[in-house]
Structure formats: structure tokens, C-alpha cells
Amino acid sequence: MDLRLERVENPKKRPDDSKLGFGQVFTDHMFNMDYAPESGWHNARIEPYGPIVMDPATMVLHYGQAIFEGLKAYRTSDGKIQLFRPERNVARFNRSAQIMCIPEVDEAFALSAIKRLVAIEKDWVPRAPETSLYIRPTIVAMDPYLGVRPSHTYRFFVILSPVGAYYPEGFNPLKIWVTDKYVRAVRGGVGEAKTPANYAASLFGAEVAKEAGYTQVLWLDAVERRYIEEVGTMNIFFVLNGELATPPLGGSILPGITRDSVLALARRWNVPVAERPVTIDEIMDAHKNGSLQEIFGSGTAAVISPVNHLAWRDEELTIGDGGVGPMAQKFYAAITDIQYGRAEDPSGWIVPVE
Ligand SMILES: Cc1ncc(COP(=O)(O)O)c(C=O)c1O
């Protein structure tokens, strides 16, 4: 498929690397492509970044039929720009598309469009340590129609945002609130899709947690409200008596690419690994008997987020010595070293942009 390019006339001024936050600044260009039943995906183009004009009846605004992805481009010390396992993001995008009744995209074409866009915007990939260019592919339902059904037309777009270091002054461990009152997703629902509904469903519980002084919510399963699923918008890991345990992907958990990378590294390092159900009661007991060593979250934004404090009912736990555990530290270093080209990439996770 052709990919048309229209360059911006007046490029924006790029922000200073030291002033970057997350998702506030966007680059000069974006990728766009349209879908119609008679022509399939068509009209692929890279053009100046700008608004998408929508009829107020556009279906995505009413019924939330949309999917998205999140990945990053990294600059190595010798100036190369590279992606980390991007084919996994594109595959997950199509899995989310199936769940949300959205027509799938050609994965090779989508990946080549992302690479082309990043290559055009390569000067926007920041240089300061642990900064990156966040990539947000999205598809939204475009029919102007107020009945509930899958849309017939769609827009696929990709935007880019330079982002700062997540931990500019070292890890900032999370204080988490476990709730059995609010749930994020239910098995048989859309929890394993990267779709806005899951994030909308998490807002209220997350606000309650923040008001009570916690950073994020630890989500339990929606049926029995015992099985641990995710933490905030991350997958979750426990180190219990030397074993690395994480909940299995049962339909209500997002299959994280960082999660998969942690599991792969642990297996390579011969760390005992279990993808198995973990209940909140098991964690409380393990804390009491001294076998709970670490808890951490995994995700593209922060890579690894250590948890040092957990509140459940009327109990407040400090995990380990309240600092950053050795496993969290080791996974963070290993993954970021590969992403920034500081270490070998024996599994072929790195995809160069040019
Ligand atoms: C709900 C949720 N869980 C887990 C993750 C982690 O996935 P990944 O490691 O692919 O970023 C994310 C996204 O980053 C997420 O939004």
C-alpha cells in the first residue's frame, strides 16, 4: 500500500529534554488511514499533526468503540533510534480489534508506517538518559450514527510524544490500595483489550485511592474479588520465597509486553517462575510468615514500578524493607539496557528504525 507524505511547513520548537513530562507535547506529523467497507483500509498518509474533525454523532464519542497501543522509540548512545518488540504491540492491536469488532490492520504495513513516521520525526526522540518518544497508535469508530452496533467506517492514526524519564531521581516506589469494592474488568468482558472502556472503568476507584493517600489501586477479580489481577495500569509480580509469581492471562488482564519480557528474562536467569492465581489472602499470609519479598508492577511507561506499601481492609503492610527489591532493580536494569542499546539483545527484541 502507498504511504503518502505531506511535510509540515513550519516545524514546532522542540521542548528541552529536561522539561519533558508524559503525553503533553506532540510532534509535527501524524499517520492517518481510513476504513470503509467497500475499500478496506485505504488512504494511508503521513501529514501535519492536527485535529480530527468529527460529527457530534460519531460513534466513538457515544459508545467508545476504539482501541489503542503504547510503545516507545529509544535513542542509543551512538544516535541510533530503535523500537522494543513492536511486532508484539501490532499483534496486540489486532487482538484488541477483534474483541472490539474493529477491522484488523495489515501488521507488516502498520509496523512499517510506525517506523516511517518515527524516522521522519527522529529529531524528536529525546537524548537525555531514560527519555524516549512515546508512540500511540489508535483506531476509532467514525460512523455518524446513534444506534448501538459496530461502526462501518474507522480512522487509524498514530501520534508521537517525547516523554521524560519516569524516575529522574531514582525509583519512586508505589503505595497501593487494594479494593474489593471497585473492579476494572471482568472475565468475558473486554479487559484483555487495550480499549478506552477499561481505563474509564478504572477512574473512579483510582480517584478514591488517591484521595485516601495511595498512588494506585490493586485490582482484584470482578467475580470472587480475591484473585489479584493488575496494579494501576500495569501487570503485577510477586517474589515469594524466591519464586516470581504473576497472575495468568485469563481474559480480564492486559497481556503486557513488559510482563512477557520479565517472564522471558526470569526463565533465562533460571529464576523459578509461576503464572498462577494469587489471592490477596495468600499475600497477607506471606507477609505475616516472612515469605513475601517483593511486589512490583510492569508496563511500557515505567518499565518496573516497585511497590513498597499495601493497604487491604484495616491492615497496612510495608513490603520488604520498604525500599527497592533486588529483583525489581535487576529487571529494570536488564530491560532498559536492552532498550537503550547498552546491552546485548540475545532474543532479537530490538527493531532498528532506519
Ligand atoms: C491495563 C494495563 N495493564 C498492563 C499494561 C502493561 O502492558 P505493556 O507492558 O505492554 O506496556 C498496560 C499498558 O501499558 C495497561 O494499560
Side-chain angles (χ1 to χ4, degrees):
M1 199 190 310
D2 277 355
L3 181 51
R4 208 162 31 82
L5 170 62
E6 183 198 335
R7 281 195 187 265
V8 79
E9 278 176 22
N10 299 309
K12 299 175 200 165
K13 190 174 159 359
R14 292 200 306 276
D16 200 275
D17 281 5
S18 64
K19 299 208 174 66
L20 294 171
F22 185 88
Q24 292 152 328
V25 176
F26 301 95
T27 68
D28 290 312
H29 299 89
M30 68 188 292
F31 169 81
N32 277 304
M33 180 160 77
D34 301 305
Y35 182 90
E38 56 292 355
S39 35
W41 285 111
H42 65 284
N43 195 15
R45 65 238 186 238
I46 289 174
E47 56 196 353
Y49 184 97
I52 299 175
V53 178
M54 286 185 181
D55 188 292
T58 301
M59 290 185 79
V60 67
L61 301 176
H62 300 272
Y63 309 118
Q65 193 197 5
I67 56 169
F68 64 97
E69 263 307 321
L71 66 160
K72 288 170 167 178
Y74 307 87
R75 184 184 291 277
T76 66
S77 57
D78 53 358
K80 290 204 249 353
I81 310 295
Q82 54 191 33
L83 307 175
F84 181 73
R85 312 187 78 185
E87 68 293 341
R88 290 282 182 136
N89 292 92
V90 175
R92 187 172 67 187
F93 199 46
N94 265 347
R95 175 71 192 126
S96 298
Q98 287 167 359
I99 295 169
M100 298 308 294
C101 304
I102 289 173
E104 290 177 46
V105 298
D106 181 301
E107 292 181 18
F109 179 75
L111 183 51
S112 70
I114 289 169
K115 284 162 75 175
R116 181 89 193 278
L117 179 64
V118 172
I120 288 168
E121 304 287 56
K122 63 175 187 289
D123 286 348
W124 281 89
V125 185
R127 287 163 173 79
E130 318 293 297
T131 59
S132 56
L133 185 67
Y134 187 77
I135 306 169
R136 171 53 60 88
T138 307
I139 297 178
V140 294
M142 289 296 283
D143 283 8
Y145 177 65
L146 289 188
V148 178
R149 57 146 171 83
S151 179
H152 300 314
T153 58
Y154 296 88
R155 167 74 64 91
F156 172 13
F157 62 88
V158 184
I159 55 175
L160 308 176
S161 172
V163 298
Y166 209 88
Y167 299 115
E169 282 123 32
F171 281 120
N172 191 9
L174 306 178
K175 194 173 165 192
I176 59 174
W177 185 64
V178 188
T179 174
D180 57 359
K181 181 164 184 198
Y182 306 105
V183 293
R184 172 191 169 272
V186 62
R187 278 194 301 281
V190 297
E192 69 174 337
K194 215 162 160 63
T195 189
N198 292 324
Y199 300 83
S202 74
L203 295 176
F204 194 83
E207 284 304 297
V208 173
K210 267 189 210 128
E211 270 160 37
Y214 299 93
T215 349
Q216 289 189 4
V217 175
L218 185 144
W219 303 105
L220 299 178
D221 78 281
V223 180
E224 296 184 51
R225 312 221 173 170
R226 293 171 53 214
Y227 295 101
I228 293 173
E229 297 211 321
E230 302 203 53
V231 59
T233 57
M234 289 181 289
N235 296 116
I236 190 162
F237 285 88
F238 303 91
V239 184
L240 294 154
N241 257 343
E243 178 195 67
L244 184 69
T246 192
L249 302 173
S252 51
I253 293 178
L254 190 83
I257 292 154
T258 320
R259 173 187 182 278
D260 187 78
S261 308
V262 167
L263 290 173
L265 287 171
R267 290 186 176 118
R268 191 187 304 155
W269 298 339
N270 293 320
V271 172
V273 171
E275 287 180 75
R276 63 166 178 84
V278 179
T279 63
I280 185 64
D281 295 334
E282 176 186 349
I283 294 305
M284 300 309 283
D285 289 347
H287 183 263
K288 284 193 191 90
N289 70 29
S291 57
L292 174 63
Q293 295 161 295
E294 292 185 43
I295 305 180
F296 57 87
S298 72
T300 296
V303 187
I304 299 291
S305 279
V307 171
N308 67 358
H309 190 95
L310 181 148
W312 167 237
R313 299 202 164 135
D314 51 5
E315 293 189 77
E316 300 261 346
L317 315 186
T318 298
I319 316 302
D321 62 4
V324 180
M327 283 273 211
Q329 185 76 57
K330 194 171 171 192
F331 285 117
Y332 180 81
I335 293 173
T336 54
D337 282 352
I338 295 171
Q339 289 170 335
Y340 289 92
R342 297 186 294 251
E344 294 277 289
D345 170 31
S347 310
W349 286 345
I350 291 301
V351 173
V353 162
E354 301 185 290

